Amino acid sequence: MGGHRRGGSAGAAALGWMTRKGSELDALLGDLNSGDDRLAERAVHRLALHGEGVLPALLTQLSSSDPDQRWWATAALAQIDHHEARSSITHSLLDQDISVRQCAAFALRQQPTPQAIPALIASLADGDRLLARLAGDALAALGDQAVSPLTEALRDANPAVRIEAARALAAIDDPAVIAPLFSALDDRSALVVHWAELGLQRLGVGMVFYQP
């Protein structure tokens, strides 16, 4: 009897804890979609404390017809270190709303993932240059994993793509970027050459003596 009472008490306590946790999540999700940026930003960081437990709600929100809700869901996912969060952020790079795509690219700088490389490379050609720059930053955050696709992007016919590729390569601390940056010194775009020179200087490469 005594054991039964203790089990019942523990069960009631667990149920109470889960109820409080559920209520807290509901309140935070309400703040996230309140339209008040201050409340939403605070909710983003508090939701992250719940870890993967909040993923189902955020993934559902990514399907909202409201781009603001998708933006905040993407921002919240950026704070959660989980493969499903990174996969969903990568999917947000294809969102129809430019602000959501920008948010996703920024998030992938915080949570670099190789699976996003094709979408990030494609974003280098986007007409929105902020998105292109954020995509370049996210690729640079991947380090050596992005060197090969960025080297290929240096051959793109679009000078805007080559500029962002050179800028991203210049930010990567890996000897593998030296050869493509050295080749980029012959590019027709002055900005490509500018970033190539900066990258080589940052790596301490003497361009007069370097043999490619």
Side-chain angles (χ1 to χ4, degrees), residues 65-96:
S65 60
D66 183 347
D68 282 344
Q69 289 196 16
R70 300 197 303 274
W71 193 97
W72 282 110
T74 301
L77 287 166
Q79 303 299 317
I80 300 172
D81 185 9
H82 191 274
H83 68 89
E84 196 167 1
R86 290 186 285 274
S87 177
S88 298
I89 295 168
T90 299
H91 183 72
S92 288
L93 276 175
L94 306 176
D95 196 277
Q96 62 184 358

Side-chain angles (χ1 to χ4, degrees), residues 136-156:
D137 291 343
L139 287 161
L142 282 159
D144 63 337
Q145 297 176 93
V147 172
S148 180
L150 284 169
T151 299
E152 183 64 29
L154 274 179
R155 305 185 185 102
D156 198 279

